[in-house]
Amino acid sequence: MSDVVVRAPAKINVHLGVGPLRADGFHALHTVYLAVSLHDTVTARPGEGLSLRMSGEGADGPGLVPADRTNLVWRAAELLARHAGVRADADLEVAKSIPVAAGLAGGSADAAATLVALDTLWGTRAGREDLLRLAADLGSDVPFGLVGGVALGTGRGEQVSPVLAAGRWHWVLGIAGEGLSTPAVYGELDRMRADGRVPDVTGPTPAEPVLAALRTGSTTELAAALANDLQPAALALRPDLRRALRAAEDAGARAALVSGSGPTVAALAADEDSAVRLAAELAGVGVFRTVRAVSGPVPGARPVS
Ligand code: C5P
């Protein structure tokens, strides 16, 4: 069996409606995921036992992405092996372009790519439903990593269904120097709701406005409908993000929002040329570590031919 190479995309949430904290420690979500053209690549080779190497964006900081059994990639491999009743034998290599702890679901993309790569390497022939179930066990965003495109996420985000989108949108991602912890941002939102800094809710904000905007294909309508309930919490933990959002809007973005739990800022550009100009401008303002022009929707985890 020869090497299997699979790439999986980063996501942004064009709508993130967060309900109250559930008894299981998660929040009920109504979210709309959009997969964008920033990918990690997982290579799976035959091996004895499991081994894992990480390279690229953010992989070299001490302890940032541990290449051990706590890594979501390692857990994906063990989960698929157990499910299929095969030995977890593989040499895995993850080449990262998606920054870690950025609100772009990079770790989830890696896990989704690993499930697809090892399903092929091991010939386990897990069905789509099985892979989606295993993905949901690994993390709320992992099923979307398999599906890609544009999808509505419900439950804790793990129940995904495709959404009709009539366009392709150009974005600039402004990536901050230091990541944000997803549980910390959800925790801050709970505190803000409890002490009245933001209105309390009985359920997640519905995604209808953004779903309607996606169907029209209009950038203006999408810009007006973007929403992220986690944004006030991310801003409370990282006040400098306010300046980052303002910089994106001043530089000509149609709209800008925090991606997921942050701290990445996703700036929606009018078109591809505007995205290139916006990226150059944002790179110059000194608030971001890296700036990337991307577009989406793009497909989910799939083999590279
Ligand atoms: O599912 P995942 O492992 O990515 O979630 C990481 C953390 O983010 C959870 O432990 C929880 O604190 C928070 N979370 C949440 N509600 C969700 C998804 C994630 O509170 N729907």
Side-chain angles (χ1 to χ4, degrees):
M1 189 68 193
S2 56
D3 304 359
V4 183
V5 184
V6 174
R7 55 179 215 159
K11 63 81 187 157
I12 55 186
N13 302 79
V14 287
H15 175 91
L16 182 47
V18 182
L21 180 63
R22 307 192 313 201
D24 64 0
F26 290 89
H27 294 73
L29 300 187
H30 279 183
T31 188
V32 180
Y33 298 106
L34 173 77
V36 294
S37 57
L38 176 64
H39 293 90
D40 282 356
T41 303
V42 173
T43 302
R45 302 183 177 88
E48 283 280 318
L50 280 180
S51 56
L52 172 59
R53 265 164 304 143
M54 311 285 295
S55 65
E57 175 73 42
D60 48 0
L64 214 47
V65 185
D68 59 22
R69 50 180 11 102
T70 63
N71 191 298
L72 213 49
V73 163
W74 195 293
R75 288 176 43 213
E78 287 186 329
L79 195 63
L80 179 64
R82 209 173 319 124
H83 168 81
V86 300
R87 280 174 41 143
D89 285 337
D91 173 33
L92 295 165
E93 189 178 342
V94 182
K96 292 202 66 66
S97 294
I98 309 171
V100 299
L104 295 168
S108 301
D110 300 346
T114 301
L115 290 176
V116 173
L118 291 179
D119 187 40
T120 305
L121 184 78
W122 294 338
T124 42
R125 294 176 185 278
R128 192 76 181 157
E129 287 309 310
D130 283 353
L131 286 182
L132 284 169
R133 211 159 20 78
L134 298 175
D137 283 349
L138 291 164
S140 308
D141 294 339
V142 183
F144 177 71
L146 289 175
V147 172
V150 192
L152 177 67
T154 54
R156 55 177 230 274
E158 89 287 11
Q159 291 164 30
V160 285
S161 48
V163 158
L164 196 65
R168 186 174 180 89
W169 288 274
H170 297 274
W171 302 82
V172 176
L173 303 179
I175 295 145
E178 204 182 310
L180 262 178
S181 142
T182 302
V185 178
Y186 274 103
E188 180 65 14
L189 179 64
D190 293 338
R191 282 189 295 279
M192 293 177 86
R193 284 175 169 170
D195 64 23
R197 277 179 288 161
V198 296
D200 207 356
V201 295
T202 52
T205 320
E208 268 61 33
V210 93
L211 295 175
L214 289 165
R215 281 194 296 271
T216 68
S218 152
T219 302
T220 307
E221 295 205 19
L222 181 60
L226 296 172
N228 180 359
D229 284 352
L230 282 180
Q231 182 162 306
L235 291 174
L237 295 176
R238 290 285 289 276
D240 56 320
L241 284 178
R242 262 182 221 289
R243 194 158 75 87
L245 288 169
R246 225 173 11 244
E249 279 160 6
D250 291 348
R254 287 294 185 85
L257 85 170
V258 170
S259 173
S261 56
T264 296
V265 166
L268 179 58
D271 52 36
E272 189 168 7
D273 288 344
S274 313
V276 173
R277 279 197 302 276
L278 181 58
E281 190 122 348
L282 285 182
V285 296
V287 294
F288 300 113
R289 178 172 58 84
T290 318
V291 168
R292 292 280 162 75
V294 299
S295 63
V298 300
R302 54 187 54 192
V304 178
S305 52

Short mmCIF file of all heavy atoms in Angstrom, two decimals, residues 25-27 29 139-140 156 182-183 186, ligand 1:
data_model
loop_
_atom_site.label_atom_id
_atom_site.label_comp_id
_atom_site.label_asym_id
_atom_site.label_seq_id
_atom_site.Cartn_x
_atom_site.Cartn_y
_atom_site.Cartn_z
N GLY A 25 -21.86 20.31 29.35
CA GLY A 25 -20.71 21.21 29.25
C GLY A 25 -20.55 21.86 27.88
O GLY A 25 -19.65 22.68 27.69
N PHE A 26 -21.42 21.51 26.94
CA PHE A 26 -21.41 22.14 25.62
C PHE A 26 -22.57 23.12 25.51
O PHE A 26 -23.50 23.09 26.31
CB PHE A 26 -21.52 21.08 24.51
CG PHE A 26 -20.29 20.23 24.38
CD1 PHE A 26 -20.15 19.07 25.13
CD2 PHE A 26 -19.26 20.59 23.51
CE1 PHE A 26 -19.01 18.29 25.02
CE2 PHE A 26 -18.13 19.81 23.39
CZ PHE A 26 -18.00 18.66 24.15
N HIS A 27 -22.51 23.95 24.49
CA HIS A 27 -23.59 24.90 24.22
C HIS A 27 -24.35 24.45 22.97
O HIS A 27 -23.72 24.01 22.00
CB HIS A 27 -23.03 26.30 24.00
CG HIS A 27 -22.39 26.89 25.21
ND1 HIS A 27 -21.17 26.46 25.69
CD2 HIS A 27 -22.81 27.87 26.06
CE1 HIS A 27 -20.86 27.15 26.77
NE2 HIS A 27 -21.84 28.01 27.02
N LEU A 29 -25.90 24.97 19.55
CA LEU A 29 -25.51 25.92 18.49
C LEU A 29 -26.47 25.87 17.31
O LEU A 29 -27.05 24.83 17.00
CB LEU A 29 -24.12 25.58 17.93
CG LEU A 29 -22.90 25.58 18.83
CD1 LEU A 29 -21.64 25.38 17.99
CD2 LEU A 29 -22.79 26.86 19.63
N GLY A 139 -14.78 15.74 18.02
CA GLY A 139 -14.95 17.17 18.31
C GLY A 139 -16.11 17.74 17.53
O GLY A 139 -16.52 17.20 16.50
N SER A 140 -16.64 18.86 18.04
CA SER A 140 -17.85 19.45 17.47
C SER A 140 -17.68 19.87 16.01
O SER A 140 -18.63 19.84 15.23
CB SER A 140 -18.27 20.67 18.29
OG SER A 140 -18.36 20.32 19.65
N ARG A 156 -24.33 20.41 19.12
CA ARG A 156 -23.20 21.22 19.60
C ARG A 156 -22.33 21.65 18.43
O ARG A 156 -21.18 22.05 18.59
CB ARG A 156 -22.40 20.47 20.66
CG ARG A 156 -21.88 19.11 20.25
CD ARG A 156 -21.04 18.47 21.37
NE ARG A 156 -19.77 17.99 20.85
CZ ARG A 156 -19.59 16.80 20.29
NH1 ARG A 156 -20.60 15.95 20.19
NH2 ARG A 156 -18.41 16.45 19.84
N THR A 182 -10.74 27.87 23.14
CA THR A 182 -12.18 27.81 22.86
C THR A 182 -13.01 27.73 24.15
O THR A 182 -13.96 28.51 24.32
CB THR A 182 -12.49 26.63 21.92
OG1 THR A 182 -11.72 26.81 20.73
CG2 THR A 182 -13.96 26.54 21.56
N PRO A 183 -12.69 26.82 25.10
CA PRO A 183 -13.50 26.76 26.33
C PRO A 183 -13.46 28.09 27.09
O PRO A 183 -14.47 28.49 27.70
CB PRO A 183 -12.84 25.65 27.15
CG PRO A 183 -12.06 24.85 26.19
CD PRO A 183 -11.69 25.74 25.05
N TYR A 186 -16.04 30.44 25.44
CA TYR A 186 -17.41 30.04 25.80
C TYR A 186 -17.69 30.40 27.27
O TYR A 186 -18.78 30.87 27.61
CB TYR A 186 -17.62 28.54 25.58
CG TYR A 186 -18.02 28.17 24.17
CD1 TYR A 186 -17.10 27.63 23.28
CD2 TYR A 186 -19.33 28.36 23.72
CE1 TYR A 186 -17.46 27.27 21.98
CE2 TYR A 186 -19.70 28.01 22.43
CZ TYR A 186 -18.76 27.47 21.57
OH TYR A 186 -19.13 27.13 20.29
O1 C5P B 1 -16.05 19.86 20.63
P1 C5P B 1 -14.76 20.47 20.97
O2 C5P B 1 -13.82 19.50 21.63
O3 C5P B 1 -14.10 21.18 19.82
O4 C5P B 1 -15.06 21.60 22.04
C1 C5P B 1 -14.04 22.21 22.79
C2 C5P B 1 -14.67 22.98 23.95
O5 C5P B 1 -15.42 24.10 23.45
C3 C5P B 1 -15.67 22.20 24.76
O6 C5P B 1 -15.02 21.47 25.78
C4 C5P B 1 -16.55 23.29 25.34
O7 C5P B 1 -15.92 23.91 26.42
C5 C5P B 1 -16.59 24.28 24.21
N1 C5P B 1 -17.77 24.10 23.34
C6 C5P B 1 -19.02 24.45 23.82
N2 C5P B 1 -20.12 24.28 23.02
C7 C5P B 1 -20.00 23.78 21.78
C8 C5P B 1 -18.73 23.42 21.26
C9 C5P B 1 -17.64 23.60 22.07
O8 C5P B 1 -19.15 24.91 24.96
N3 C5P B 1 -21.08 23.64 21.02
#
